[in-house]
Amino acid sequence: EKGGYDAFMLKEIAEQPRAVADTLLGRIGADGRLHLDEMHITDEQLREIDKIIIIACGTSYHAGMIAKYAIEHWAGVPCEVEFASEFRYRDPILTKSTLVIAISQSGESMDTLMAVRHAREQKARVLCICNVNGSTMPRECDGVLYTHAGPEVGVAATKTFLTQLVAVYLIALYIAQVRGTKWGDEVFAMVQLLGSMPEKVEKVLETMEPVRELARSLADEKSVLFLGRHVGFPVALEGALKLKELAYMHAEGFAAGELKHGPIALIEDGLPVIVVVPPRARDVLHDKIVSNIQEIRARGARTIVIAEEGDDSVAPYADTLIEVPAVPTLLQPLVTTIPLQVFSCELATAKGHDVDQPRNLAKSVTVE
Ligand code: F6R
């Protein structure tokens, strides 16, 4: 049932182009407009929303962080993201015009479920993004947008994460479409571009051999750091989480701009640092991260740089350069996440670990 792969995780990483395509299927009309009726929210209700709160755990939380950038940019609605386990135990301010979006691959995470119940008690409208039909969360929410990743057996979330990203882009663009924000043309163009993402994802998968080699060469390291800015920051956090859970290795993700406020003290000779670089078109953001790379390299870090293909301004500072297809900044996580999945999977395998069943972890965490 692993379809010729040594592990479910490898199979599920390989299935991502299909998973992304399936999650888009039937949601983009021939006229280029989005149709998300399954969310059970009227245009009028969407226009009345004045705040969005996203709740999730683990990898799904990283999808939530990326959702915040997309929703605030395209839809122009203030958006907060919070760990479900934290949201539940403070006193969040929710009103009828607050939209809560729970993100959970399994639909069963107890932390997220408790947060959903709490939000519903406060009369907020609650939607969820979920991959498992008939699971608990969709039944308890006002509406659901299903991801169509297919069953994910490996404990580490891979294809469900990519499809959660597709779902959050769809929701952000849909809200923008309904509310008619100033980004009308961009929204239309983004919907078109989303349609081309399965090919781009496929292209990344075809170029992963050097990443596997790199991973094997780093199997004896004590620690790996991950840096990013903007949506590259949650991608860095996701890269670090995968390495922790699969390779049992110390890993941390940072917002690159925060480096100088403390973490830069961790940099020492030979420390591997993986940096997610935004597209060149985002010049200010891009240049800032190039100087972050120079700073850490000057202090001895071994720089492993994930950048858009043909980005020569970053190449001179990269000990290892991993190229991904050029896509707009907000969509970049769909391509930059893949090398990080492959990296942690290969490194954990080189250490002799079972990537499908990492120690101490379960596929759905049904206790608080
Ligand atoms: C990471 C991982 C976990 C889950 C988290 C939330 O690879 O699998 O961090 O993302 O437990 O699970 P769901 O999305 O099912 O609520």
Side-chain angles (χ1 to χ4, degrees):
E1 23 174 88
K2 290 180 195 156
Y5 291 92
D6 289 339
F8 281 107
M9 185 179 180
L10 289 167
K11 174 172 176 268
E12 288 158 2
I13 289 174
E15 283 170 349
Q16 293 182 116
R18 162 99 291 177
V20 166
D22 286 349
T23 302
L24 290 167
L25 202 72
R27 289 168 171 163
I28 305 175
D31 56 356
R33 289 180 69 80
L34 293 168
H35 302 281
L36 301 181
D37 306 341
E38 53 215 296
M39 292 206 309
H40 291 131
I41 184 160
T42 64
D43 289 2
E44 199 184 332
Q45 284 163 336
L46 268 183
R47 277 191 282 265
E48 275 164 12
I49 282 160
D50 58 17
K51 181 166 83 172
I52 295 178
I53 301 180
I54 297 177
I55 44 180
C57 315
T59 291
S60 298
Y61 174 78
H62 300 147
M65 287 178 76
I66 293 165
K68 175 183 164 74
Y69 290 92
I71 289 172
E72 292 191 337
H73 179 75
W74 288 323
V77 182
C79 180
E80 297 170 13
V81 197
E82 195 162 13
F83 287 125
S85 56
E86 287 296 318
F87 172 84
R88 172 74 182 81
Y89 294 103
R90 61 179 179 95
D91 300 303
I93 315 285
L94 302 169
T95 66
K96 282 205 310 329
S97 48
T98 308
L99 175 66
V100 173
I101 305 177
I103 308 181
S104 173
Q105 161 292 118
S106 62
E108 302 293 350
S109 291
M110 191 53 75
D111 287 316
T112 314
L113 195 56
M114 294 310 278
V116 162
R117 289 180 183 157
H118 186 65
R120 295 209 71 199
E121 278 161 20
Q122 322 280 309
K123 308 284 177 247
R125 175 166 286 274
V126 185
L127 301 180
C128 69
I129 295 174
C130 182
N131 193 55
V132 181
N133 248 296
S135 56
T136 310
M137 231 170 284
R139 284 202 301 267
E140 297 205 11
C141 289
D142 296 298
V144 52
L145 189 66
Y146 279 109
T147 49
H148 297 299
E152 190 175 66
V153 179
V155 162
T158 52
K159 61 176 180 169
T160 54
F161 177 66
L162 249 64
T163 58
Q164 284 171 344
L165 295 182
V166 172
V168 303
Y169 295 142
L170 287 172
I171 291 178
L173 292 166
Y174 183 69
I175 299 174
Q177 174 183 298
V178 170
R179 293 167 67 112
T181 62
K182 61 178 175 172
W183 302 107
D185 293 343
E186 183 178 329
V187 167
F188 187 76
M190 284 300 143
V191 171
Q192 302 306 306
L193 262 174
L194 270 181
S196 70
M197 292 312 293
E199 281 161 47
K200 304 244 159 70
V201 169
E202 183 71 59
K203 212 171 149 216
V204 181
L205 288 169
E206 284 162 9
T207 58
M208 287 296 96
E209 195 41 45
V211 174
R212 282 188 282 267
E213 251 166 61
L214 171 77
R216 290 191 292 268
S217 76
L218 295 178
D220 294 325
E221 294 294 331
K222 287 269 166 312
S223 165
V224 179
L225 302 186
F226 294 75
L227 302 181
R229 278 181 179 264
H230 195 267
V231 290
F233 169 42
V235 171
L237 293 177
E238 174 61 8
L241 178 62
K242 284 284 169 289
L243 198 60
K244 283 181 254 203
E245 62 183 342
L246 299 169
Y248 320 148
M249 192 188 263
H250 173 254
E252 265 190 87
F254 297 109
E258 276 295 295
L259 210 60
K260 59 185 173 303
H261 298 288
I264 198 159
L266 290 169
I267 308 289
E268 55 186 24
D269 237 15
L271 179 77
V273 184
I274 302 189
V275 190
V276 183
V277 177
R280 274 165 302 177
R282 289 299 291 256
D283 39 5
V284 180
L285 208 58
H286 178 272
D287 296 354
K288 284 242 152 58
I289 210 152
V290 175
S291 37
N292 294 138
I293 297 171
Q294 290 172 268
E295 279 155 19
I296 56 170
R297 199 154 186 259
R299 288 164 178 81
R302 169 169 178 187
T303 56
I304 299 156
V305 175
I306 303 178
E308 150 182 296
E309 53 200 358
D311 184 347
D312 354 305
S313 54
V314 79
Y317 312 108
D319 293 312
T320 306
L321 182 63
I322 300 165
E323 292 190 307
V324 292
V327 296
T329 309
L330 280 167
L331 301 185
Q332 210 198 23
L334 284 173
V335 290
T336 49
T337 301
I338 299 165
L340 301 180
Q341 298 170 337
V342 171
F343 178 77
S344 59
C345 185
E346 185 72 19
L347 199 151
T349 308
K351 287 175 87 103
H353 302 322
D354 177 350
V355 291
D356 287 338
Q357 280 184 311
R359 67 184 182 202
N360 309 337
L361 293 174
K363 187 69 188 162
S364 18
V365 184
T366 51
V367 289
E368 254 193 285

